[in-house]
């Protein structure tokens, strides 16, 4: 048995909607977990000592705030190579679409990643996943998408599985992203192969399927075909929609019963209302919005449409090279119009919703104990302290995985 008790929490931000005003703060609190599950999350004064297992590791928060571990519901961390040169070209005026059209962009990463072995891919992903944990992230979604050719795509998913087995990393949920960049050969033959052999092979390795619905990438009809084929293998859809232009991907997400629609900068309010009605989570990726310089992430518009909102890093070599959820929370507030409380909930409970996970993202008895002890008594600092070092320690599945630096 492993057990941990955190005493002296100045503000326990449960992100529990049952506790009223977000982010559901309990002052002067304690948190107790046994075998990865929360057995107490409430006022320290009401803690019954018999709820604390005898061998529990005792941690003292010294008045700091504690929040749920971040759930980063959209990442592309399994890649090889480097696109710093493109970042510099874009700073000089070249656009993301121009670089992609001239053979760079996602294709450049495919050239570097596709030949990689599972060991090489897992090692590259591991470094990034570990930095995510140090920044307070306890669950990550990991997409394929840089293999293109089927065996290389499967190596990416096998690398994601390798990451899942490492106990000192955030928990991994894998997504098969076969429609990302387009193939050199005939695209219909490629899509045929994906919709037959690809989804069958991916079903053993992934939970979700994803597609990049965009001018220059894949059409709504092609993405719809993938989702239909994937449904036969119980892969639920996610979609990169309305990122660089409006193509109809959000409405497809609503029709196809997608778990989430991601990016959405060019989505109309009608699109967002359709997502809300269909129960599709809207995932904003404010780091990518910032780097690409288009319209802002539609955080406030999603809330106004009644959607559940998630905020994620999109960590990838092209549009957002960042492992930091606290930075994304800052950007969700500064660019996306969310309040600090809405942004914190979007990075925790919202991320869990975008992965269909009902057992985390909220600090409540009976749920998984993934939590971050902050350096500060004020949870607002997560978004307010831009680029600040706000994570003191991290509890992952009920174990103290990143001990305090103090
Ligand atoms: O989510 N939009 C497509 N995919 C990624 C970018 C991938 C890349 O540039 O390597 C995104 O922004
Ligand atoms: Fe992405």
């Amino acid at each position: 048995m492993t057990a941990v008790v955190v005493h002296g929490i100045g503000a326990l931000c449960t992100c529990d909607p049952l506790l009223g005003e977000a982010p559901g703060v309990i002052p002067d609190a304690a948190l107790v977990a046994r075998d990865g599950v929360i057995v107490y999350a409430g006022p320290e004064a009401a803690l019954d000592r018999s709820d604390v297992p005898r061998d529990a590791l005792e941690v003292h928060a010294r008045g700091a705030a504690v929040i749920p571990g971040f759930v980063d519901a959209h990442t592309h961390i399994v890649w090889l190579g480097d696109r710093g040169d493109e970042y510099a070209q874009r700073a000089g005026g070249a656009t993301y679409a121009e670089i992609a059209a001239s053979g760079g962009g996602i294709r450049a990463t495919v050239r570097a990643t596709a030949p990689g072995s599972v060991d090489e891919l897992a090692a590259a992903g591991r470094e990034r996943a570990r930095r995510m944990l140090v920044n307070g992230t306890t669950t990550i979604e990991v997409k394929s998408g840089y293999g293109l050719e089927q065996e290389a795509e499967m190596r990416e998913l096998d690398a994601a599985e390798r990451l899942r087995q490492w106990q000192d990393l955030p928990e991994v949920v894998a997504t098969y992203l076969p429609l990302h960049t387009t193939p050199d050969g005939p695209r219909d033959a490629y899509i045929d192969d994906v919709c037959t052999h690809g989804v069958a092979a991916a079903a053993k390795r992934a939970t979700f399927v994803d597609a990049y619905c965009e001018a220059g990438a894949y059409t709504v009809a092609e993405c719809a075909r993938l989702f239909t084929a994937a449904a036969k293998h119980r892969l639920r859809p996610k979609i990169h929609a309305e990122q660089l232009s409006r193509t109809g991907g959000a409405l497809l997400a609503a029709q196809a019963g997608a778990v989430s629609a991601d990016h959405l900068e060019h989505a109309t309010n009608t699109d967002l209302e359709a997502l809300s009605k269909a129960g599709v989570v809207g995932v904003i990726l404010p780091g990518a919005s910032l780097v690409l310089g288009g319209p802002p992430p539609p955080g406030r518009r999603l809330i106004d449409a009644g959607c559940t909102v998630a905020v994620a890093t999109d960590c990838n070599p092209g549009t957002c090279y960042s492992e930091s959820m606290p930075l994304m929370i800052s950007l969700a507030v500064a660019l996306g119009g969310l309040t600090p409380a809405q942004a914190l909930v979007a990075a925790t409970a919202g991320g869990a919703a975008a992965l269909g996970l009902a057992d985390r993202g909220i600090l409540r008895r009976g749920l998984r104990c993934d939590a971050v002890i902050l350096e500060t008594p004020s949870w607002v600092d997560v978004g307010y302290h831009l680029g600040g070092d706000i994570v003191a320690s991290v509890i992952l599945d009920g174990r103290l995985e990143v001990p305090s630096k103090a």
Side-chain angles (χ1 to χ4, degrees), residues 83-376:
R83 277 159 56 202
D85 54 339
E86 288 183 7
Y87 184 74
Q89 282 169 33
R90 288 211 303 276
T95 68
Y96 184 70
E98 281 163 6
I99 291 170
S102 67
I106 299 171
R107 273 166 176 275
T109 299
V110 169
R111 283 193 295 277
T113 304
S117 67
V118 175
D119 283 348
E120 288 167 322
L121 296 170
R126 183 184 160 79
E127 301 249 314
R128 297 169 190 133
R130 185 68 199 172
R131 282 195 288 270
M132 288 174 158
L133 184 77
V134 167
N135 279 288
T137 299
T138 48
T139 300
I140 52 178
E141 184 256 21
V142 174
K143 300 180 195 294
S144 67
Y146 294 123
L148 194 58
E149 177 268 316
Q150 195 186 304
E151 281 178 15
E153 279 291 297
M154 295 309 134
R155 281 197 295 279
E156 280 211 277
L157 293 178
D158 288 340
E161 176 57 31
R162 193 75 65 80
L163 300 182
R164 262 177 75 74
Q165 286 164 9
W166 272 308
Q167 297 281 300
D168 62 341
L169 298 182
E171 193 178 44
V172 170
V173 176
T175 295
Y176 177 43
L177 171 56
L179 304 190
H180 197 196
T181 191
T182 52
D184 290 330
R187 64 195 276 149
D188 283 346
Y190 175 73
I191 298 169
D192 285 346
D193 189 47
V194 161
C195 289
T196 50
H197 307 110
V199 288
K204 301 186 194 91
R205 300 166 163 94
T207 307
F208 299 107
V209 67
D210 194 351
Y212 183 27
C213 190
E214 188 58 68
Y218 290 91
T219 66
V220 169
E222 289 166 338
C223 297
R225 217 188 128 197
L226 170 66
F227 295 164
T228 304
K232 296 192 186 111
H233 297 272
R234 303 208 178 148
L235 289 165
R236 260 189 96 184
K238 289 178 154 286
I239 188 165
H240 286 66
E242 333 296 8
Q243 182 187 15
L244 305 176
S245 61
R246 181 172 182 272
T247 62
L251 293 180
L252 171 63
Q255 279 157 21
V259 65
S260 73
D262 303 32
H263 289 288
L264 301 170
E265 288 90 336
H266 289 265
T268 64
N269 289 342
T270 312
D271 294 333
L272 303 184
E273 279 152 25
L275 294 179
S276 169
K277 231 181 243 153
V280 180
V281 177
V283 181
I284 59 167
L285 304 160
S289 310
L290 175 77
V291 168
L292 291 175
R300 172 79 61 81
R301 291 201 293 128
L302 279 161
I303 298 265
D304 289 347
C307 270
T308 299
V309 184
V311 58
T313 60
D314 198 11
C315 182
N316 76 75
T319 62
C320 187
Y321 183 18
S322 172
E323 292 96 347
S324 172
M325 285 291 278
L327 180 58
M328 298 308 136
I329 290 172
S330 294
L331 296 176
V333 174
L335 304 178
L338 296 186
T339 66
Q342 288 166 339
L344 182 60
V345 170
T348 53
L355 296 179
L357 296 171
D359 66 343
R360 67 195 70 190
I362 292 172
L363 296 173
R364 182 199 293 159
R365 187 187 166 96
L367 300 187
R368 215 177 113 105
C369 187
D370 292 326
V372 181
I373 303 173
L374 299 181
E375 289 281 5
T376 154

